[in-house]
Every structure is written in C-alpha cells, then in structure tokens.
Amino acid sequence: MSILQISSFAAGQWVTPGAGARTISSAITGEPFATAGNDALDVQAMLDYARNVGGPALREMTFHERAKMLKAIATHLGQNKRALYDLSFETGATQSDHLIDIDGGIGTMFVFASKGRREMPDGHVYLDGDVEQLSRNGTFLGQHICTPLQGVAVHINAFNFPVWGMLEKLAPTLLAGVPAIVKPATNSCYVTELCVRLMIDSGLLPDGTLQLVSGGLGDMLDRLGMQDVVSFTGSAETALKLRSAPVILENSVRFVAEQDSLNASILGPDAVPGTPEFDLFVKEVSREITTKAGQKCTAIRRIFVPETLVSDVTEALSARLAKVTIGDPRKENTRMGALVSNGQKQDVLEKAALLATEAKRVFGDPENFEVVGADKEQGAFLPPMLFHCENPDTAKRVHDTEAFGPVSTIMGYRDIPHAIELVNKGMGSLVASVITYDPEVAREVAIGAGAYHGRLYFNNRDSMKESTGHGSPLPHMVHGGPGRAGGGEEMGGVRGVMHYMQRTAIQGSPEILTAIGQKWVPGAAEVKGSAHPFTRRYGELSIGETLYTEPRVVSLADIEHFAEFTGDTFYAHMDDEAAERNPFFPGRVAHGYLLLSFAAGLFVEPNEGPVLANTGLDNLRFMKPVVAGDSINVRLTVKKKTKRNDEYGEVRWHVTLTNQDSELVAEYELLTMNAY
Ligand code: NAP
C-alpha cells in the first residue's frame, strides 16, 4: 500500500511533506499509512497571507455574505461527504461515528450560516445589546459594538474529530470575518486535509481565508500578536504549555482552551429499575462509552447512581456492553471501532491501570476480548471497560484521570447533595447529565453543580425521543467548561462568533450611534421621504425616514364598539368606578390594542404597493393611558433594514404614539416585509 502524502496549504500553495515529516499509522492495521509535516513550512508567510489577503477580503463582506458563503461550503461538503467517510474509517471510526464527526461538522456550519442570516446584520458592525441611556435628555448615549479582529485565528485541534473539530471553530471564525490557519492533530490530519481540499477546490472561499498545517506548527505561535486568537482543543498538558508561552502572555493573545474533562452522569433517585429513565440511563451511558471508542471529550467518565442501585446498573450496563461488536469499522455490524493509534491505546491502558488502584474492573478485559474482521494485535482495539469505585469520597484518580478511550467508573451516592459533591470533584467539566423525572432533583443539581460544568443535560421519558444525547455539543449551545475543561467557551450560537471579534463600547450622540450601527436611534435626525414610506420600495427607504400622521380623537363610542366587537370587555374599559379603583387608571381607558389598530389606520397606505406583509411587533410598551376625548398621533421611522433575498427585505420601524399633550402613550417596533 502506498503511503499517503498529506500536504499543508500555505499562502495559496499545497506543500507536500518534507524534512521532519511524521509517519501516521492506520488505526485498524497499525501499518504506516500516511506521512505529514514539513519543517521548511514558511509560517511567517502563512500569517502574512492570512492577515494581509484573507482578513481584508473577509472584512469587505457583510455578516450575511459570509453566512451565505458558509451555507454554500456546507452544501458542497455535504455533496462530497462520502469521500470523507471512506478515508475516515482509517482513524478507527465507524459509520455512526462519521455521522457525529462529518455530518455533525457540516450541520454545525449550516447552523452558523442560518444564525448569521437571522441574528446578525447585513452589515459590518454587530450591535451587542441595547442602547444605554447615559444622559438625562438622550443626547449622549452608549452602545456596545463588535467588529472582527484584524489578525488570524490559529485553530489547534485534537485527533478525535478531524472534521467537526475543524468546522465547529471555522464556522464562527469565518462568520466573524477572521481568516483561519487550521492545525489538526497529526494522527488524523489526513481526513482534515481532504476536507480542506474540498473547501479550497470549491472556490467558495476568498484567498487567504483558510490555510492548513499538517504536522508541526513550527514557531508560528511565537509570531502571534494582539489581533490574533488561538483556539486550542487537546490535552491539559499541551494547553498549559502553549497558553503560558511568553509571546501569548505578553501580547494578550486570546487563547481559548478546550481540554480534558471528567464528565459525569447522574441517575436520579426516582429512576429505579422498571422506569423509562433507568433504561434511558443505561442506553445513554453505554453509548457514551462506546461511541468513537470513548475518544470523545464529552464522554461519560464517571457514573453516579444511588448506592442501592449500583449492582442493578452494573448488571444492566454490562449486559448492554457485552452486545457491542468490536472490529473493523468498515463492517456494518461493528458497533465500536479502533482507537486512533496504538500509542493512544497504550495511553488508555496506563490510565486504566491508575484507575484500577482505586476501583475494581467489573466489565471488559483488555487481555481477553473479541475483535471481528481485524487483527486484534496489530490494530488499536480495546474493549469497553467498566470500573466500580467503592469509596468515591476518598478516591482521587477516578475524579482526575481521563482515560481517553472506552473507560468509565461507576460510583454510588447517598442523596442528591452527595451526588453534587461527587460530580463537582471533577473540578470543571464540559458536561454532566442527570436522568430524572423529578424536576426538583433537576433544580437542585442545576443550582449545586452549574458552576462546575459548561453544560448540564437533563433527560427523561418526556424528552428522550427528541433529545440529542449527553455527548453532543450543539452549535446553538455553549461548548466548553471551567477548570480542568480549560475555561474556554465555543459555539453557543452568536456567542461563539464573538470570540473572534472585539467588543467596543461606543459613546456619543444619537446621530453618531445611528451612523455606526446603521440602526436609527431615537434623537437622531429624521429624514423626510419624497412620498409615503409605504409607497417606497425596500431599496428606496433610508434609515431615519419618518412619517408623522394626523391626530385621531378616541371617543367613548370607539372604546365601547371595540369592546363589543372583540369581546374584550375588561372592566378598565367598561366600568368607570372599577377602573378608578385601579392604581393605574384615572377611569375608563381605551384598550391598548384599540390604540394599535388606530395607529395602523393612521399610518398605512391602503393601495397595493411594496409593503408585502406585517410580520410582527417587538418591544411593545403602553406608557400612558388614553381616555375618551384624548387624541393620538403616530410617528413612524425606518429603524433598520435587513435584506432577506433579491425579492424582499425586512424593515424595522420605530413607532411612537403620542397624545394631544405630546406625551408618549405607546412605543413599539413594527416589522414589515418590503419588496426590494
Ligand atoms: P494533544 O496531544 O494535547 O494534542 C492536541 C493538539 O495540539 C494536536 O493538534 C497536537 O498536534 C497539538 N500540539 C501538541 N503539542 C504542540 C505544540 N508544542 N505546539 C503546537 N501544537 C501542539 O491532545 P490529543 O491527544 O490530540 O487529544 C486528546 C485530548 O484532547 C484529550 O485529553 C481530550 O480530552 C481532549 N479533547 C478535548 C475536547 C474539548 O472540546 N474539550 C475535544 C476533543 C479532545 P500533534 O498531533 O501534531 O502533536
């Protein structure tokens, strides 16, 4: 079999392995399979190319343009995923492991593409939060904004997810507008390389936005500056070494770390044998031990069950694990493939030996297990191994030793406070799960353990059919954890994009804030349009364009008619004396919804025109009651525009209702879809 030459992609060129290249072996046969790395890689040229070519190209684009690019890339990868599957078997991964790594990575990219379009502007500045009132008269205001860092993101990834590991970092990075240099772990970098080739060959990425280092990084990290970011996934040991490098500290280079984690799962005291929760627990734990042969940062390493249920759970779990077929990951019946390398297998065995000093192995014998369709001695195979620790209070290893393979330890707890104490002994984890049908148990754990875990996953009979699994980090939710888990945070929707942007507090007048944020701020200049704004197309409307309506008097007959017509005969609108007893009303008042309806009647332009639909209202507040005889008039201002496609765009209007004394009666944002 010829050895694959795994290249790097540097400054627009593919660079084949050279001096210092490392050999990569097949997880299944242990035979040399590929080679990667080149000491002559010009890392400074890579950094320059990213900073001077990739960055400016990305920053030219709006968030929406970058989101569309992500969607196109994800679609392209989806169309070519079979090639990734074929190659990825060599890492020891099964087809269902591929669904997590390859499909999961592509899916993550789709989610960021969609969030970018829905939650970020079609512009260059992301507004973080609302305008802050810093002055009495509103002439001096505050607003937080985010703009892309002007450096490069260096992504260093672990071996276990060669595709997802790259894409979950790449998607928010590119969406932010920052170029990336990806350095996968050498053991599985050939899958990442193919994925990068697919993306580069698609022609969808501007030059310089994605580069790849297969093999060692050289001294790239020593050349980073204050506009750069390192996002690292791997062991705590490597993380410590890299994040404490003088250059990283001196230049305050952002360093996101995702590292070891002694994740846990708790079986609720209510979840006794015979309940759906007991079966669910056994299924989830067993899946977490065997998926990716346990090489998952979120895998369950510690299993906490009520003391009285230790033997029931051990028995049920052992029975389930006994059914797991281990072998050639290409074979359809194989449930668990190989670890990534024999080196990794050795590491897991050493860690398991450490666990064995405090816990007894109750299932799985690494000296005696069956492997189907592959050579057990040559490939990096291990059986699932379950340990039982009788003294979790005094034990140490079980709470701090991560055997990064199919290994987990079961422990008994007395009550929920005890379970919380034990689960927190991991000193920071990515995820802890609780399988319970008792909401009070869930609440107690959330309060007692939340601070120690990046994610808490609750599951029971109500949610189990649709639940996504203890071990699946989701692009919508934060992934990362405190303490041992690295203190980093990734994904979590737009939160993940922020890691690649600078948040800046902007202070100034409404006019200045409007210009920066491209969102009209009350107090900024109003623009008078040449015609009624509802007769103007999306592209013709300008931010700040304002319409003032004629006033309309609200009569008692109007209030009564509205009450009878809608059925809303609430006493505040119908009964003067009762309304007066209410602390908010001077007597009978108009319905808020009547005012909204009158407002629409005042500002709409009835003829068919560019306004296609009213899609909703946001932030509606009624400030002052309106009584019979009062009049209202409306001001309608274009606050923000968001293009949706070539046919139409969303217009967000700032609407105020004032009474005859110019007092604010109601305020809201109206959303319409307008023809382009
Ligand atoms: P690792 O040995 O720490 O390696 C991680 C990455 O760092 C690899 O790309 C590695 O490259 C690179 N690296 C090592 N030394 C370096 C150096 N001096 N300069 C620059 N880069 C360097 O970890 P691993 O064995 O690949 O992964 C297993 C660990 O990752 C486990 O502890 C697991 O818990 C953790 N993990 C955490 C998460 C999470 O999200 N929290 C996810 C997955 C895995 P080479 O391969 O070329 O050495």
Side-chain angles (χ1 to χ4, degrees), residues 150-164:
Q150 297 181 12
V152 54
V154 179
H155 295 165
I156 302 174
N157 294 327
F159 68 80
N160 55 342
F161 288 115
V163 175
W164 177 84

Side-chain angles (χ1 to χ4, degrees), residues 22 156-161 164 168 183-187 215-218 221 232-239 241-242 257-261 296-297 344 402 404 430 479 485 490:
R22 308 180 201 171
I156 302 174
N157 294 327
F159 68 80
N160 55 342
F161 288 115
W164 177 84
E168 62 102 7
K183 187 250 172 293
T186 304
N187 271 336
L217 260 189
L221 298 188
F232 171 86
T233 300
S235 62
E237 197 185 345
T238 313
K241 187 162 122 197
L242 301 185
E258 300 289 346
Q259 51 192 50
D260 311 358
S261 179
K296 216 153 50 91
C297 53
Q344 185 61 25
E402 183 195 42
F404 203 59
L430 295 171
H479 173 61
E490 293 181 328

Side-chain angles (χ1 to χ4, degrees), residues 96-341:
S96 48
D97 294 336
H98 296 159
L99 295 183
I100 302 174
D101 183 34
I102 297 163
D103 293 76
I106 296 169
T108 297
M109 215 166 203
F110 272 122
V111 170
F112 275 102
S114 148
K115 286 197 163 282
R117 292 287 301 284
R118 281 187 289 111
E119 298 172 29
M120 303 189 87
D122 190 18
H124 298 91
V125 173
Y126 177 78
L127 302 181
D128 180 22
D130 292 333
V131 169
E132 297 287 341
Q133 294 292 332
L134 303 178
S135 61
R136 185 183 292 266
N137 297 320
T139 60
F140 187 69
L141 305 166
Q143 167 81 64
H144 291 97
I145 66 164
C146 296
T147 52
L149 290 175
Q150 297 181 12
V152 54
V154 179
H155 295 165
I156 302 174
N157 294 327
F159 68 80
N160 55 342
F161 288 115
V163 175
W164 177 84
M166 167 170 62
L167 298 184
E168 62 102 7
K169 288 183 163 83
L170 189 60
T173 304
L174 295 179
L175 185 53
V178 176
I181 296 175
V182 175
K183 187 250 172 293
T186 304
N187 271 336
S188 57
C189 71
Y190 47 93
V191 187
T192 313
E193 190 233 36
L194 176 58
C195 190
V196 169
R197 271 188 196 278
L198 288 169
M199 289 192 275
I200 297 293
D201 292 349
S202 75
L204 293 164
L205 282 165
D207 287 348
T209 52
L210 173 61
Q211 298 178 78
L212 172 75
V213 176
S214 301
L217 260 189
D219 64 353
M220 185 183 284
L221 298 188
D222 293 335
R223 297 164 185 266
L224 297 185
M226 51 86 70
Q227 288 293 309
D228 304 320
V229 189
V230 179
S231 185
F232 171 86
T233 300
S235 62
E237 197 185 345
T238 313
L240 178 65
K241 187 162 122 197
L242 301 185
R243 80 191 325 174
S244 57
V247 169
I248 302 288
L249 297 174
E250 261 167 43
N251 294 340
S252 306
V253 177
R254 284 192 203 183
F255 196 99
V256 181
E258 300 289 346
Q259 51 192 50
D260 311 358
S261 179
L262 275 292
N263 312 293
S265 190
I266 301 173
L267 179 70
D270 54 298
V272 294
T275 60
E277 284 72 29
F278 183 88
D279 297 341
L280 172 64
F281 183 79
V282 171
K283 202 165 139 192
E284 287 241 14
V285 172
S286 142
R287 189 172 58 202
E288 288 302 321
I289 295 175
T290 55
T291 302
K292 286 289 293 185
Q295 302 163 111
K296 216 153 50 91
C297 53
T298 49
I300 296 169
R301 307 285 172 208
R302 298 175 301 146
I303 307 163
F304 295 108
V305 305
E307 277 172 351
T308 49
L309 296 184
V310 168
S311 50
D312 288 296
V313 175
T314 306
E315 214 173 282
L317 208 46
S318 301
R320 201 170 170 104
L321 291 172
K323 291 194 196 135
V324 173
T325 311
I326 306 158
D328 182 345
R330 289 192 180 85
K331 300 260 183 291
E332 222 176 286
N333 291 339
T334 299
R335 287 286 155 269
M336 191 170 102
L339 280 81
V340 75
S341 65

Side-chain angles (χ1 to χ4, degrees), residues 451-466:
Y452 283 73
H453 308 275
R455 181 160 62 90
L456 291 177
Y457 170 94
F458 299 95
N459 206 359
N460 61 29
R461 68 193 77 174
D462 290 344
S463 50
M464 63 187 187
K465 282 216 174 70
E466 291 194 306

